[in-house]
Amino acid sequence: MLSAHQPFETYPALIREAAHEAGGVAQVAGGVPAMCDGVTQGQPGMELSLFSRDVIAMAAGIGLSHNMFDAAVYLGVCDKIVPGLAIAALTFGHLPAVFIPAGPMTTGLPNDEKVKVRQLFAEGKVGRDELLEAESKSYHGPGTCTFYGTANSNQMLMEIMGFHLPGA
């Protein structure tokens, strides 16, 4: 449903195929709930954003708790899923792990234009329709959110720590 996570739809099949070609077996251990701050802004439940990190960590941990895996591949993007998956990975630190991001989202509405519309909305000078139109133009493709917020920071940090391939 969320553009940041959309690329992951086909990843499990691709990972299984690659593992099979290398003589291995890959299984999906579990999935985690995902929410997007950009979508939930002003909506009931928005306050659950940071709490969702713990739920994500627990969901990933439960998926790995069967002691049946030789390694783990974590598919994650954003400032809630990546830290939650990192907590799970550290809990199962005996398993080799790699994180695979969804890749960058193509550029949409420039940040300065988006900020201007958000400010005008906060001042009551434009309505919700104009705000939603600007938000939709900002996040119009699959991948990591285009604004320089914590989603991108998390992706860069994972690369710096060596959990992503360089340039991911």
Side-chain angles (χ1 to χ4, degrees), residues 75-168:
L75 306 177
V77 65
C78 93
D79 58 343
K80 288 151 301 288
I81 296 174
V82 171
L85 293 177
I87 292 167
L90 292 169
T91 303
F92 289 86
H94 61 285
L95 294 177
V98 66
F99 286 73
I100 301 177
M105 182 185 289
T106 53
T107 303
L109 188 68
N111 285 337
D112 57 346
E113 291 181 40
K114 183 172 53 174
V115 168
K116 182 179 177 184
V117 173
R118 286 179 175 176
Q119 182 64 40
L120 291 172
F121 178 76
E123 295 171 5
K125 295 178 180 175
V126 299
R128 184 171 174 78
D129 289 342
E130 291 87 356
L131 176 65
L132 290 177
E133 180 182 350
E135 293 295 332
S136 294
K137 287 180 180 176
S138 298
Y139 311 108
H140 66 285
T144 303
C145 300
T146 56
F147 66 93
Y148 293 109
T150 52
N152 279 314
S153 300
N154 271 264
Q155 299 303 310
M156 291 187 297
L157 182 60
M158 296 304 283
E159 183 174 326
I160 291 165
M161 293 190 317
F163 291 119
H164 283 173
L165 294 175

Side-chain angles (χ1 to χ4, degrees), residues 38-89:
V39 175
T40 60
Q41 290 292 319
Q43 301 296 317
M46 179 187 152
E47 69 280 358
L48 299 174
S49 177
L50 294 179
F51 293 115
S52 71
R53 290 179 183 169
D54 293 332
V55 174
I56 292 162
M58 287 188 290
I62 289 168
L64 292 171
S65 68
H66 299 90
N67 198 28
M68 296 181 61
F69 304 100
D70 297 320
V73 174
Y74 296 92
L75 306 177
V77 65
C78 93
D79 58 343
K80 288 151 301 288
I81 296 174
V82 171
L85 293 177
I87 292 167

